[in-house]
């Protein structure tokens, strides 16, 4: 059974072959033989172990799906309505096709037939409506959160027939379809959704429709997934739709980073997550596979509190933009796997445009801007104005291992133009409380956030529609509000893309956001025996298409 | 059993219960006054999109808007009724969480304890009977050495040598026999140090006694002298040390579990501290207090029954006291 065909071709011939293979597989299974190879000619079977540094805090699907750890498991246990690849390209998955009206306020989703959750219930229109409703609203009194970044403009979803869902929005929501491929938008069995929070928190009681099901798990220890033999509805974009090849995937928690890597090196495990960036070069040289996929979203950078002196001064912000040497950050802290920021959104996001000129390192320009703004250098090289020193406090992001090293480098760089930089490192809880949501006394806070659709950006920058108001501008910046409203109201990408370009130019020119580097938050080290994994738009590795050799 | 003993036992029991309750209240107060509010912290995450009004409702639904004394009373009355509540972090029952991790810690702690006893006895024996040129004096330095090398260093060395180089165990199967064995060694080594110190001091004392000289004069072999005559009187204070090393075992297991990738009480505490998961912390600290108090209670209750020299002096503290050291108020053997 070594039939090969082009991935992505979805011809009748392929379906026939696939059907024949499924039948043959069923027969060999009945005969007690285990087929060595699949329809793609790939090796069937095998078990892998993935060493991870945390498994997050809870398994309530809504609450945990935005964590950067549980996404690995959800990606195998559940499916999504659409698939979004690493370049932000949207393609069918559980939704075979969709239509939208001209002003992007109504969408009709047509679902694949015959899809079931692992508890046996059908993934039909009613199930999709139940999911959309809980993604939007959660069940707050029970502590079940809404899904972050799910469009707040959601009005309602209704079933037209068993495989058709109509979704309506109160305002144009062009980003709706891509958002269905976000890691939070996981399809969960309605039976699971109906359970109280305490039951949903038990991973073994949660049913998805994914290629793997939870075999066993222990909190803070491991999650073992085994493959679902009747799975036949994978995303065509990954070139395979039948059952997974690997028999099982075990996610094992090992908190010590050197042990995770050493275990892969000694052949005790197959993948180590979150090694330190500095180790990657030697691992690559030793023949291990390293992966540094970028997710779709914001780059790693600083959001500036424009209410706080002296950052209410445009020239000071622009000087900050010009005084940071981004190339040096990559050369010193990272490896060539990291890319220079070209905007405040990652360069692989559809709609992202190149604004490298606005982010060029220019010491002279920074000095000149600060001189103009009235900040005068003293004999020690520190600038001050009206008896106050030019200072900046950076709060190192405890979620990002390299954050402090970058902050230290930035402190040196800014020191050259006369800035006095303080660095504060807090634990996760304190950081969240004092810094994360831009406390009033925080001049600049580090932000990185994944998203699928660039339309999300506009709603975050100001406080309109309960937005996150990153720069503490409220509704005060007319140009920004104008762009925000136009982007939100755009009915098509053709209208929206030029507006997004203007928005990027504006935010960078104003020095509202100070990009550092494009973000790689998920780093993988993998045994060369394991092949064929796929990284999606949020940089999670999927082993659905992977195989392992002895 | 005499009246004074029963009265003494009853007093000790009441004291023990009071200690457990105080431990509970103390934990509650400490965690409550810690800076940082993990609940509103999560709720205020703009990604979740809660309005201030909804946050207020959720907090009210969980009774967290009540005065601290009311919250303490609710929590305490549930605790006394055996209801440990739900974890704030994972929304799963605290009893389930503890039941999942307890066996692993019990296995680790008891094997580490066995390792510690064996190691301590071997070292102590060596300091008495190993010929000087084979490093008898050197052995006396071992306990301080064991105490000064951090637990996690020992663990990492063991893992790299026996796990990765020799392939004796796999870090991904931390509950296998060999993985547990080496984890027990890593945890047992620092604990053996304290036991060895006490044992060596007592052996030094006992072997200088007349009866030991008489036994030696009668031509008794070294091992028989050690095993039949010296070890028994020398190990009585070890009973007290056991109660004291319990805390060490709990603290050490946190690090050992982290290093060896084991999931146990230690790793549960670590996760709960980092997220300020009050119900879990409360339960674990109370559990530790109960175990600690129980072991000490048993030691105190058993001591006067075992050692006929211990008299119950009716002082205000009702502690067992030997006749020749009534002023100290503690068993003489504790301070060898």
């Amino acid at each position: 059974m070594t039939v090969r065909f082009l991935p992505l071709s979805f011809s009748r011939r392929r379906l026939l072959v696939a059907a024949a293979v499924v039948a043959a597989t069923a027969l060999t299974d009945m005969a007690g033989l285990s087929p060595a190879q699949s329809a793609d000619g790939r090796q069937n079977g095998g078990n892998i172990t993935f060493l991870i540094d945390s498994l997050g805090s809870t398994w309530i699907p809504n609450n945990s799906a935005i964590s950067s750890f549980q996404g690995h498991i959800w990606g195998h246990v559940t499916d999504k309505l659409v698939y979004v690849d690493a370049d932000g390209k949207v393609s069918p998955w559980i939704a075979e096709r969709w239509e939208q009206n001209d002003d992007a306020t109504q969408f009709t989703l047509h679902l694949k037939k015959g899809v079931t959750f692992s508890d046996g219930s059908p993934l039909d229109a009613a199930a999709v409506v139940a999911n959309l409703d809980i993604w939007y609203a959660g069940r707050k009194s029970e502590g079940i959160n809404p899904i972050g970044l799910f469009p707040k403009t959601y009005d309602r979803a209704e079933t037209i027939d068993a495989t058709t869902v109509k979704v309506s929005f109160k305002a144009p929501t062009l980003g709706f379809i891509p958002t269905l491929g976000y890691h939070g938008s996981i399809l969960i069995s309605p039976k699971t959704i109906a359970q109280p929070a305490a039951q949903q928190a038990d991973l073994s009681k949660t049913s998805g429709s994914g290629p793997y099901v939870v075999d066993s798990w222990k909190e803070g220890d491991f999650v073992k997934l085994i493959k679902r033999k009747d799975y036949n509805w994978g995303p065509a974009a990954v070139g395979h739709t039948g059952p997974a090849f690997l028999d099982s995937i075990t996610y094992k928690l090992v908190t010590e980073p050197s042990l995770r890597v050493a275990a892969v090196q000694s052949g005790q495990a197959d993948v180590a997550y979150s090694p330190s960036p500095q180790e990657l070069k030697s691992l690559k040289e030793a023949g291990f596979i390293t992966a540094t996929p970028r997710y779709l979203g914001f780059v790693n950078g600083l959001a500036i509190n424009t209410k706080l002196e002296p950052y209410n001064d445009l020239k000071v912000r622009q000087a900050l933009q010009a005084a940071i040497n981004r190339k040096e950050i990559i050369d010193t802290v990272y490896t060539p796997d990291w890319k220079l920021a070209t905007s405040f959104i990652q360069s692989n996001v559809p709609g992202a445009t190149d604004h490298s000129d606005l982010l060029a390192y220019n010491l002279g320009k920074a000095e000149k801007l600060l001189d103009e703004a009235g900040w005068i250098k003293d004999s020690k090289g520190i600038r001050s104005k009206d008896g106050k020193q030019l200072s900046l406090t950076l709060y190192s992001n405890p979620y990002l291992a390299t954050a402090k090293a970058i902050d230290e480098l930035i402190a040196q760089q800014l020191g050259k133009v006369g800035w006095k930089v303080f660095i504060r490192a807090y634990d996760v809880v304190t950081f969240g409380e004092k810094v994360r949501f831009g406390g009033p006394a925080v001049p600049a806070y580090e932000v990185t956030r994944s998203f699928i659709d660039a339309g999300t950006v506009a709603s975050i920058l100001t406080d309109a529609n309960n937005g996150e108001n990153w720069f503490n501008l409220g509704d005060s910046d007319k140009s920004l509000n104008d762009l925000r409203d136009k982007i939100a109201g755009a009915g098509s990408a053709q209208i929206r893309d030029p507006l997004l370009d203007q928005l990027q130019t504006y935010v960078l020119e104003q020095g509202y956001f100070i990009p550092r580097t494009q973000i790689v938050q998920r780093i993988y080290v993998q045994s060369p025996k394991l092949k064929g994994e796929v990284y999606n738009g949020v940089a999670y590795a999927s082993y659905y298409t992977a195989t392992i050799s002895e | 059993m005499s009246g004074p003993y029963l009265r003494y036992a009853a007093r000790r029991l009441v004291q023990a219960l009071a200690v457990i309750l105080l431990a509970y209240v103390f934990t509650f107060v400490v965690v409550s006054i810690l800076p940082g509010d993990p609940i509103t912290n999560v709720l205020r995450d703009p990604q979740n999109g809660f309005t201030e009004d909804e946050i207020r409702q959720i907090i009210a639904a969980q009774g967290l808007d009540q005065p601290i004394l009311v919250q303490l009373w609710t929590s305490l009355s549930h605790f006394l009724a055996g209801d440990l509540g739900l974890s704030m972090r994972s929304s799963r029952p605290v009893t389930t969480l503890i039941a999942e991790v307890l066996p692993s810690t019990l296995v680790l702690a008891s094997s580490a304890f066995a390792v510690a006893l064996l190691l301590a006895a071997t070292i102590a024996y060596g300091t008495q009977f190993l010929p000087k040129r084979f490093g008898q004096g050197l052995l006396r330095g071992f306990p301080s050495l064991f105490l000064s090398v951090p637990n996690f260093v020992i663990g990492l060395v063991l893992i790299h040598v026996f796990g990765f180089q020799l392939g004796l165990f796999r870090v991904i199967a931390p509950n296998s026999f060999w993985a547990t064995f080496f984890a027990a060694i890593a945890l047992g080594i620092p604990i053996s140090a304290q036991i060895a110190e006490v044992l060596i001091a007592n052996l030094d004392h006992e072997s200088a006694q007349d009866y030991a000289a008489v036994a030696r004069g009668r031509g008794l072999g070294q091992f028989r002298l050690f095993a039949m005559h010296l070890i028994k009187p020398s190990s009585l204070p070890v009973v007290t040390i056991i109660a004291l090393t319990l805390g060490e075992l709990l603290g050490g297991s946190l690090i050992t579990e982290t290093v060896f990738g084991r999931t146990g009480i230690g790793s549960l505490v670590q996760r709960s501290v980092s997220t300020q998961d009050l119900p879990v912390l409360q339960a674990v600290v109370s559990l530790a207090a109960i175990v600690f108090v129980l072991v000490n209670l048993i030691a105190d209750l058993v001591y006067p029954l075992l050692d006929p020299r211990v008299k119950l002096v009716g002082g205000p503290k009702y502690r067992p006291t030997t006749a020749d050291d009534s002023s100290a108020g503690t068993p003489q053997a504790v301070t060898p």
Side-chain angles (χ1 to χ4, degrees):
Chain A
M1 267 191 288
T2 50
V3 189
R4 282 183 178 276
F5 29 68
L6 286 173
L8 288 175
S9 78
F10 210 83
S11 64
R12 184 183 294 174
R13 180 171 155 267
R14 181 177 181 186
L15 282 176
L16 282 172
V17 173
V21 167
V22 168
T25 312
L27 282 175
T28 39
D29 271 350
M30 273 191 278
L33 299 168
S34 87
Q37 287 180 320
S38 73
D40 303 41
R42 287 197 237 186
Q43 199 74 28
N44 246 327
N47 307 292
I48 62 164
T49 307
F50 183 110
L51 302 182
I52 195 164
D53 39 344
S54 164
L55 279 170
S57 50
T58 177
W59 289 102
I60 296 174
N62 267 31
N63 296 10
S64 68
I66 55 168
S67 143
S68 78
F69 297 108
Q70 287 123 331
H72 292 280
I73 283 110
W74 291 127
H76 291 92
V77 173
T78 63
D79 293 324
K80 300 187 183 77
L81 284 160
V82 303
Y83 184 80
V84 177
D85 69 11
D87 297 319
K89 188 172 172 293
V90 180
S91 60
W93 191 349
I94 296 303
E96 277 184 323
R97 58 198 166 82
W98 49 86
E99 295 109 37
Q100 69 177 74
N101 64 356
D102 286 343
D103 61 353
T105 52
Q106 263 182 15
F107 297 81
T108 309
L109 305 171
H110 301 276
L111 310 177
K112 210 172 264 182
K113 289 189 181 74
V115 180
T116 55
F117 292 104
S118 60
D119 62 7
S121 54
L123 201 178
D124 55 8
V128 170
V129 170
N131 275 279
L132 288 167
D133 283 346
I134 196 148
W135 294 345
Y136 168 68
R139 281 208 302 274
K140 290 172 181 170
S141 57
E142 264 187 72
I144 297 174
N145 303 338
I147 290 291
L149 297 188
F150 189 81
K152 309 252 190 302
T153 45
Y154 178 82
D155 182 19
R156 65 182 191 282
E158 52 209 316
T159 58
I160 303 298
D161 58 46
T163 57
T164 314
V165 179
K166 195 171 115 189
V167 191
S168 310
F169 291 89
K170 288 173 236 162
T173 309
L174 194 58
F176 173 60
I177 295 292
T179 301
L180 296 176
Y182 188 64
H183 55 315
S185 311
I186 50 174
L187 293 165
I188 299 288
S189 157
K191 284 185 200 166
T192 304
I193 294 175
Q195 288 174 343
Q199 301 272 311
Q200 290 194 26
D202 184 349
L203 184 60
S204 59
K205 292 188 175 134
T206 300
S207 300
S209 59
Y212 285 87
V213 292
V214 177
D215 173 69
S216 50
W217 77 290
K218 188 168 157 191
E219 185 165 334
D221 191 357
F222 75 95
V223 176
K224 185 181 178 191
L225 309 177
I226 51 169
K227 88 165 150 191
R228 211 178 138 180
K229 294 213 173 77
D230 62 341
Y231 186 82
N232 195 24
W233 43 83
V238 299
H240 173 66
T241 49
F245 304 111
L246 296 169
D247 292 326
S248 78
I249 309 171
T250 304
Y251 288 86
K252 170 80 184 97
L253 198 96
V254 175
T255 42
E256 175 60 39
S258 69
L259 286 185
R260 289 195 298 274
V261 173
V264 171
Q265 284 176 314
S266 67
Q268 295 195 356
D270 305 285
V271 188
Y273 190 61
S274 295
S276 91
Q278 284 82 5
E279 280 180 292
L280 293 179
K281 192 166 170 273
S282 63
L283 286 163
K284 243 187 261 181
E285 282 164 6
F288 292 92
I289 299 167
T290 61
T292 50
R294 285 172 302 148
Y295 58 50
L296 303 166
F298 294 96
V299 299
N300 170 240
L302 301 168
I304 302 298
N305 181 350
T306 55
K307 283 272 187 304
L308 212 65
E309 280 194 342
Y311 302 97
N312 52 354
D313 184 339
L314 171 65
K315 286 191 168 149
V316 173
R317 295 196 302 265
Q318 287 174 333
L320 193 59
Q321 195 76 288
I324 291 178
N325 184 346
R326 297 169 174 89
K327 177 84 174 43
E328 194 184 28
I329 295 177
I330 290 181
D331 292 346
T332 315
V333 182
Y334 290 128
T335 69
D337 299 306
W338 271 256
K339 291 194 163 63
L340 277 172
T342 54
S343 173
F344 69 94
I345 47 185
Q346 306 259 88
S347 61
N348 52 336
V349 172
T353 38
D354 191 335
H355 300 274
S356 305
D357 53 326
L358 293 172
L359 302 174
Y361 175 53
N362 190 338
L363 215 59
K365 183 182 168 192
E367 302 260 18
K368 188 166 163 279
L369 282 163
L370 290 173
D371 285 339
E372 284 170 15
W375 293 91
I376 309 301
K377 247 186 190 170
D378 66 12
S379 55
K380 287 182 199 145
I382 296 170
R383 287 178 186 270
S384 52
K385 181 181 175 180
D386 305 331
K388 270 189 197 152
Q389 282 189 332
L390 180 62
S391 71
L392 177 67
T393 307
L394 295 174
Y395 299 87
S396 301
N397 183 346
Y399 295 96
L400 201 69
T402 48
K404 190 145 182 279
I406 296 178
D407 286 343
E408 280 160 2
L409 190 61
I410 288 180
Q412 284 177 23
Q413 295 175 351
L414 294 179
K416 284 185 196 156
V417 293
W419 240 292
K420 196 158 184 175
V421 180
F422 304 95
I423 297 173
R424 296 266 178 284
Y426 289 132
D427 63 284
V428 168
V429 174
T430 317
F431 181 80
E433 191 140 281
K434 294 202 166 163
V435 187
R436 192 157 156 224
F437 314 132
V442 175
Y445 73 106
E446 194 193 316
V447 198
T448 51
R449 181 78 59 78
S450 63
F451 61 74
I452 287 285
D453 181 68
T456 322
V457 171
S459 64
I460 283 176
L461 304 185
T462 70
D463 63 359
N465 295 320
N466 210 8
E468 296 181 22
N469 196 18
W470 277 11
F471 316 126
N472 203 5
L473 285 165
D475 237 353
S476 63
D477 185 325
K478 212 183 151 301
S479 314
L480 192 63
N481 293 348
D482 200 34
L483 282 168
R484 173 197 71 206
D485 293 339
K486 282 184 186 160
I487 288 171
S492 76
Q494 283 83 349
I495 301 172
R496 202 179 68 177
D497 282 353
L499 293 165
L500 274 173
D501 183 49
Q502 283 179 42
L503 178 76
Q504 292 167 68
T505 311
Y506 185 73
V507 167
L508 294 176
E509 266 177 2
Q510 290 291 315
Y512 289 154
F513 193 90
I514 314 290
R516 307 206 306 196
T517 64
Q518 297 211 34
I519 183 132
V520 174
Q521 204 180 359
R522 316 195 210 287
I523 311 174
Y524 305 79
V525 172
Q526 184 176 313
S527 152
K529 288 191 286 185
L530 179 61
K531 290 192 177 73
E533 78 282 3
V534 172
Y535 300 93
N536 66 6
V538 271
Y540 285 116
S542 165
Y543 300 98
Y544 164 54
T545 51
T547 57
I548 189 161
S549 55
E550 284 311 308
Chain B
M1 222 170 277
S2 60
Y5 179 78
L6 284 180
R7 232 178 305 137
Y8 159 77
R11 280 293 275 268
R12 288 290 295 115
L13 201 66
V14 172
Q15 273 178 8
L17 286 175
V19 168
I20 293 171
L21 278 184
L22 281 175
Y24 190 91
V25 173
F26 184 72
T27 320
F28 189 93
V29 171
V30 165
V31 182
S32 303
I33 61 172
L34 272 183
D37 178 354
I39 297 189
T40 47
N41 207 349
V42 171
L43 296 177
R44 290 222 160 76
D45 186 336
Q47 284 205 47
N48 288 331
F50 287 118
T51 63
E52 284 299 318
D53 199 42
E54 285 167 336
I55 293 175
R56 255 196 308 281
Q57 281 174 29
I58 293 169
I59 288 174
Q62 301 197 7
L64 293 169
D65 55 343
Q66 301 288 322
I68 187 87
L69 280 177
V70 177
Q71 287 187 48
L72 172 62
W73 174 246
T74 319
S75 165
L76 194 60
S77 52
H78 284 171
F79 170 67
L80 292 177
D83 172 14
L84 300 180
L86 293 183
S87 154
M88 290 184 335
R89 191 175 57 86
S90 71
S91 301
R92 300 178 65 220
V94 174
T95 42
T96 312
L97 293 180
I98 291 178
E100 272 180 4
V101 296
L102 197 57
S104 164
T105 301
L106 285 182
V107 168
L108 176 64
S110 50
S111 4
F113 190 66
V115 166
L117 277 186
L118 199 69
L119 207 56
T122 312
I123 291 172
Y125 180 77
T127 59
Q128 301 299 314
F129 300 110
L130 204 67
K132 283 220 162 53
R133 60 195 164 98
F134 287 120
Q136 195 204 71
L138 200 71
L139 273 183
R140 288 180 182 269
F142 270 40
S144 347
L145 178 74
F146 285 176
L147 274 180
S148 53
V149 180
N151 191 339
F152 71 89
V153 173
I154 303 175
L156 286 176
V157 169
L158 289 176
I159 289 175
H160 277 279
V161 174
F162 294 98
F164 294 142
Q165 307 283 330
L166 301 176
L168 263 183
F169 65 94
R170 307 195 307 154
V171 282
I172 57 167
N175 292 312
S176 66
F177 174 79
W178 284 112
T180 307
F181 177 77
F182 286 105
I185 288 186
L187 177 56
I189 282 178
I191 289 160
S192 74
Q194 301 180 18
I195 303 177
E197 291 266 23
V198 175
L199 207 51
I200 291 169
N202 279 278
L203 281 171
D204 286 348
H205 175 77
E206 295 295 334
S207 54
Q209 301 292 313
D210 293 345
Y211 75 89
V214 170
R216 265 193 220 99
R218 281 171 49 209
L220 208 63
Q222 279 178 4
F223 185 75
R224 281 169 66 96
L225 174 68
F226 176 76
M228 295 175 66
H229 294 282
L230 298 180
I231 193 75
K232 207 177 148 194
S234 304
S235 35
L236 237 141
V238 173
V239 172
T240 314
I241 286 293
I242 290 175
L244 293 176
T245 50
L246 202 75
E248 205 81 11
L249 272 174
L250 278 175
S253 71
L254 194 156
I255 299 161
T256 312
E257 281 168 0
T258 306
V259 171
F260 279 81
R262 295 173 69 93
T263 308
I265 293 283
S267 48
L268 180 66
V269 168
Q270 192 205 7
R271 276 179 288 141
S272 307
V273 167
S274 65
T275 49
Q276 294 187 12
D277 195 341
L278 183 58
V280 178
L281 280 180
Q282 193 76 70
V284 175
V285 173
S286 309
L287 188 75
I290 290 171
V291 173
F292 209 85
V293 164
L294 272 185
V295 170
N296 276 286
L297 181 67
I298 292 168
D300 279 356
L301 292 184
V302 165
Y303 226 97
L305 299 181
L306 284 186
D307 189 343
R309 290 177 302 166
V310 175
K311 272 190 191 166
L312 299 167
V313 180
K317 283 183 176 170
Y318 273 91
R319 298 284 299 187
T321 312
T322 46
D324 53 341
D325 187 30
S326 53
S327 59
T330 45
Q332 183 199 26
V334 172
T335 49

